[in-house]
Amino acid sequence: MLDDKLIVEARGESLLAVKFTAMASPCEVLLPPMSEHAALAMGAVAAQEARRVEKKYSRYRDDSVTAWIHENRGTTIEVDPETASLIDFAGQCFDLSEGLFDITSGVLRRAWNFDGSDQIPKADVIAGLLPLVGFEKLQWHSPCLLLPTGMELDFGGIGKEYAVDRAYELLTAPDWTPFLINFGGDLRANRPPSHGPWQVGIERPDTDREATMLLDLEHGALATSGDSRRFLLKDGIRYGHILNPLTGWPVPESPRSITVAASSCTEAGLLSTVAMLHGAAAQAYLEEQGVRYWLLE
């Protein structure tokens, strides 16, 4: 059934899926059997929150907070509490990753277009953009921000995971119904349904959502980083879309995908992305963090 672009679909005899699209991704909320009305009500909460976060922080909209920040480059502005919290978190990520996770690195998109072709940008073009990258170059004293002229903020690296956690909090607050939120492969569950753990597939790289393994998840979050759909290929070398902000280039010898389990989706997403940025040392980094992970070469 369709209700404001929400579709309720039976998954066998023991699950319902409320499906919708947000953040350019297929999204769903998995639920135990219940009335269609109740399922749509829960799905609507998740969908509205996903679309709210997307509208507020998308770099593709001219009415987003991100666009407003960019319009006011070079001057000091005061951001709202939610945006201030996200910038604070991004600053913590920057420090903890020793500069590998940087929300100012989106400016490198001016050089890179990961469309599967062999069009590698020239080194001098990338070098010319590097002075515009670096969280430490922001003048940030919460809630006041001065974004230097020419620089950009890009919340895309944390936006989807943040939306999962926000939707999770909203669905947890009024009820204790088991649910699993899945926004484009980043997910979080509150508790398992009565028939047993949630079954979660980890996608095999270079397939159309074909699972390479199934995981049992009772509660907590999973996030995946990988290069399956966005890359360049030249002279037999694959250039994945995850860029090292310190060099402006894709990280060599990265795994094809990394899935990390954590208590929140935001934390899982940070760990999986930073692990990818460690390239050949990804597994060693994850071992140091003491987290559960699944790595595909």
Side-chain angles (χ1 to χ4, degrees):
M1 296 293 293
L2 187 63
D3 182 8
D4 192 23
K5 299 184 180 179
L6 271 64
I7 299 173
V8 178
E9 176 183 281
R11 295 279 174 84
E13 297 180 357
S14 56
L15 286 178
L16 291 176
V18 185
K19 301 166 59 177
F20 57 94
T21 300
M23 299 172 288
S25 299
C27 302
E28 64 183 11
V29 179
L30 297 182
L31 299 164
M34 61 179 64
S35 71
E36 183 178 290
H37 176 78
L40 284 170
M42 293 190 70
V45 170
Q48 288 167 9
E49 187 62 10
R51 290 163 180 164
R52 183 193 71 82
V53 172
E54 178 180 17
K55 179 179 179 180
K56 185 170 183 178
Y57 295 109
S58 172
R59 64 177 181 266
Y60 301 110
R61 299 178 62 105
D62 57 12
D63 60 349
S64 68
V65 167
T66 305
W68 173 72
I69 291 172
H70 292 165
E71 288 167 5
N72 288 278
R73 277 179 283 225
T75 61
T76 299
I77 56 176
E78 182 174 334
V79 301
D80 66 275
E82 182 179 33
T83 303
S85 177
L86 278 177
I87 296 175
D88 278 340
F89 176 72
Q92 295 168 7
C93 295
F94 178 80
D95 292 337
L96 290 171
S97 67
E98 299 180 342
L100 289 177
F101 191 100
D102 192 336
I103 64 168
T104 71
S105 63
V107 70
L108 295 169
R109 291 191 312 276
R110 298 178 190 173
W112 292 95
N113 181 25
F114 294 97
D115 58 2
S117 72
D118 63 353
Q119 300 301 304
I120 308 300
K122 295 185 182 300
D124 61 340
V125 174
I126 297 170
L129 292 172
L130 288 180
L132 302 177
V133 178
F135 188 91
E136 77 282 358
K137 297 170 185 174
L138 305 180
Q139 294 184 36
W140 171 239
H141 304 283
S142 182
C144 295
L145 170 69
L146 191 153
L147 178 68
T149 301
M151 291 187 66
E152 296 181 9
L153 295 188
D154 184 351
F155 295 99
I158 54 178
K160 190 146 58 75
E161 296 88 346
Y162 173 69
V164 169
D165 288 336
R166 284 288 307 144
Y168 176 92
E169 296 299 332
L170 292 173
L171 287 178
T172 299
D175 194 50
W176 196 230
T177 299
F179 63 81
L180 182 146
I181 298 168
N182 180 356
F183 290 174
D186 295 326
L187 50 91
R188 187 171 177 184
N190 66 337
R191 67 183 179 93
S194 59
H195 63 271
W198 303 100
Q199 296 282 306
V200 178
I202 293 182
E203 186 177 322
R204 184 187 303 278
D206 301 327
T207 66
D208 187 15
R209 308 194 184 283
E210 176 187 334
T212 189
M213 67 180 78
L214 284 176
L215 307 179
D216 286 344
L217 178 69
E218 294 193 348
H219 62 84
L222 295 173
T224 299
S225 296
D227 72 348
S228 183
R229 290 180 173 80
R230 296 175 60 204
F231 63 92
L232 297 173
L233 188 64
K234 184 177 179 65
D235 298 331
I237 300 174
R238 185 185 182 95
Y239 297 82
H241 77 280
I242 296 178
L243 300 173
N244 183 334
L246 303 177
T247 67
W249 288 83
V251 181
E253 300 182 64
S254 283
R256 296 299 309 282
S257 79
I258 295 173
T259 300
V260 173
S263 57
S264 73
C265 201
T266 308
E267 180 186 0
L270 169 64
L271 289 166
S272 63
T273 300
V274 174
M276 289 288 290
L277 286 163
H278 276 78
Q283 187 164 0
Y285 168 79
L286 291 165
E287 291 289 343
E288 288 176 6
Q289 305 309 308
V291 296
R292 292 186 68 197
Y293 67 89
W294 296 264
L295 185 151
L296 299 176
E297 299 287 357

